Amino acid sequence: MSSYNFSAGPGVLPSSVIKQIREDLEKEENSHYSILEISHRSSQFDGIIHHAEERLRQLMDIPDDYAVLFIQGGGALQFEMLPLNLANQKNKIAVLDSGNFANKAAKAAQEVGKEATIVASSKPDHYRSLPKLPADFAAADYDYLHITTNNTIEGSTYHQENLPKTPGHLVADMSSNILAEPYDVSDFSAIFAGAQKNLGPAGVTLAIVKKDWLAEQKIEGVGPMMRYQSYIDKDSMYNTPPVFSIYALSLVLDWVFEQGGVKQLYLNNQKKAKRLYDYLDQSDFYQVPVCGQQRSLTNVVFTTGDNDLDRKISWQADQEGLHNLAGHRSVGGFRASLYNAQPMTAVEALITFLQKAEREHKS
Ligand SMILES: *Cc1c(COP(=O)(O)O)cnc(C)c1O
């Protein structure tokens, strides 16, 4: 029986990358040390981290005036680092509340002493749609506008074509769709993403920060580990970086490149998502809460409308090798994560299973 992992994160990795890691661990280099045992000051790791940065710059077409940083602490730490480093003129940020993670970011900014204003929210609509930036949004009142490009839990996305337009600084949490679809980096002043959704194993988080903007900030009362500048000054090695996670990330980035880059993966992802959404839309047994262009390519959220039945079907799916399909505990239902490394065969197997479940449970 084949087995597929639909987990939202940590998520599926390319099988060739897993194979490479296994081989690298077994291979004795001249040094006789594996990647798990090497110093971050070794020339071997220096090559890896620089290669990862260069590959990412190439894949996302990141302009030279942006720093690319490797940080620990996940997306959640970025919810605090961003306001501490980049909200020092007005001490105020604006947030588009498109889901659970946007909401968390707003709360974290408040916790670190900044004022976070929700300028629009789709919470009253149970996050089935994306909030729209109000036409009278006063960008000059805030240090930046925080958005979540892909709402991992709710299954909605601001794609490049429907990004909110602000004359001020735009900051994006791309944790669950970075490299899954193209974005123009120069539309943003900062981007961050935890690796464990689409880039590698857990343990490392990317931050891409416009250097001029950071240089304008007067940062006070913030220790070195929480300052982007420390990571810039020390090539992300102010302290010991997550060596293994960065190594695995560099392999995933090479894999993305070999697949044909973001453009090609975007085409693949559109095909996978369309195949699943088309099936769900023609079925009168399953419903997709998010509509049209706002739908996510990487996290497909759906339900039968009956929580107990959803749970039962997820359990049956698991028995048949289709793992981690249950929706986030806060929303229930199903969530099929179709990250870059998810093959089309997984989508086909899922649809075959869902058809069977529909026949079995439809009254
Ligand atoms: C997973 C996720 C986070 C949180 O990431 P952690 O690494 O667990 O802190 C933040 N934002 C989005 C959009 C996510 O999907």
Side-chain angles (χ1 to χ4, degrees):
M1 185 173 74
S2 24
S3 151
Y4 296 107
N5 177 16
F6 293 95
S7 169
V12 59
L13 289 171
S15 51
S16 61
V17 166
I18 302 289
K19 184 162 171 272
Q20 180 76 51
I21 292 171
R22 195 178 297 132
E23 283 170 10
D24 284 355
L25 281 177
E26 283 168 5
K27 189 168 63 189
E28 283 195 18
E29 295 282 357
N30 299 335
S31 64
H32 298 281
Y33 302 121
S34 76
I35 185 71
L36 294 173
E37 304 155 278
I38 61 168
S39 163
H40 59 294
R41 306 287 177 205
S42 64
S43 61
Q44 195 184 343
F45 184 68
D46 200 58
I48 289 171
I49 193 167
H50 285 106
H51 176 69
E53 175 175 343
E54 284 320 304
R55 225 357 148 224
L56 189 76
R57 285 187 180 277
Q58 176 189 27
L59 290 170
M60 291 183 76
D61 203 8
I62 301 171
D64 288 342
D65 58 331
Y66 287 72
V68 172
L69 309 173
F70 302 95
I71 303 174
Q72 303 194 50
L77 187 70
Q78 293 309 302
F79 294 164
E80 300 180 22
M81 276 184 88
L82 276 167
L84 286 172
N85 283 268
L86 298 165
N88 295 295
Q89 272 141 0
K90 317 278 184 328
N91 292 306
K92 276 186 184 173
I93 71 164
V95 177
L96 273 178
D97 177 25
S98 55
N100 174 78
F101 285 117
N103 209 279
K104 259 186 150 165
K107 290 206 175 98
Q110 293 273 151
E111 293 274 356
V112 300
K114 310 292 175 178
E115 194 179 319
T117 304
I118 301 225
V119 289
S121 173
S122 52
K123 195 168 187 177
D125 185 34
H126 304 283
Y127 297 122
R128 280 179 290 221
S129 59
L130 292 168
K132 253 187 95 133
L133 193 63
D136 62 353
F137 172 62
D141 291 351
Y142 305 96
D143 286 292
Y144 62 81
L145 170 65
H146 177 111
I147 66 164
T148 312
T149 50
N150 185 72
N151 298 285
T152 322
I153 295 173
E154 298 83 3
S156 63
T157 303
Y158 292 103
H159 303 286
Q160 176 67 36
E161 313 81 65
N162 59 343
L163 279 180
K165 296 256 179 304
T166 167
H169 293 288
L170 182 63
V171 164
D173 177 356
M174 287 196 189
S175 292
S176 52
N177 75 338
I178 191 167
L179 298 188
E181 57 185 283
Y183 286 100
D184 188 344
V185 173
S186 56
D187 284 348
F188 305 89
S189 297
I191 293 169
F192 68 94
Q196 72 271 23
K197 311 284 165 61
N198 207 30
L199 296 174
V204 63
T205 302
L206 285 175
I208 302 167
V209 181
K210 197 164 191 186
K211 287 189 265 187
D212 291 356
W213 184 34
L214 184 63
E216 288 167 16
Q217 310 281 329
K218 261 211 172 67
I219 307 172
E220 277 163 9
V222 178
M225 280 298 288
M226 291 291 279
R227 286 175 184 253
Y228 290 128
Q229 194 62 47
S230 310
Y231 294 80
I232 294 177
D233 293 345
K234 301 286 183 186
D235 284 342
S236 297
M237 289 186 266
Y238 173 78
N239 73 329
T240 312
V243 170
F244 178 80
S245 299
I246 292 170
Y247 147 80
L249 167 80
S250 83
L251 295 181
V252 173
L253 295 177
D254 283 345
W255 177 85
V256 171
F257 177 75
E258 286 153 19
Q259 299 302 301
V262 177
K263 243 192 208 142
Q264 184 58 46
L265 289 173
Y266 179 45
L267 288 174
N268 301 354
N269 292 336
Q270 282 175 311
K271 268 193 210 136
K272 288 184 288 179
K274 182 175 186 316
R275 182 87 179 79
L276 183 52
Y277 283 123
D278 281 353
Y279 164 70
L280 295 167
D281 284 340
Q282 61 74 46
S283 153
D284 56 8
F285 185 62
Y286 304 103
Q287 298 110 47
V288 179
V290 180
C291 288
Q293 202 209 11
Q294 301 192 334
R295 285 178 174 177
S296 171
L297 298 177
T298 44
N299 305 104
V300 177
V301 169
F302 57 101
T303 174
T304 63
D306 174 342
N307 252 325
D308 292 336
L309 185 54
D310 288 351
R311 253 195 303 272
K312 184 167 181 190
I313 295 174
S314 292
W315 182 85
Q316 287 181 323
D318 196 63
Q319 304 302 302
E320 302 204 12
L322 304 171
H323 303 297
N324 303 311
L325 273 169
H328 188 265
R329 60 191 181 279
S330 64
V331 295
F334 304 97
R335 171 173 52 179
S337 294
L338 308 181
Y339 296 126
N340 282 343
Q342 194 70 278
M344 184 58 124
T345 49
V347 177
E348 301 290 357
L350 176 59
I351 292 172
T352 303
F353 168 80
L354 291 174
Q355 284 169 327
K356 203 172 72 169
E358 177 172 353
R359 280 193 302 271
E360 183 185 334
H361 297 289
K362 200 155 133 183
S363 46

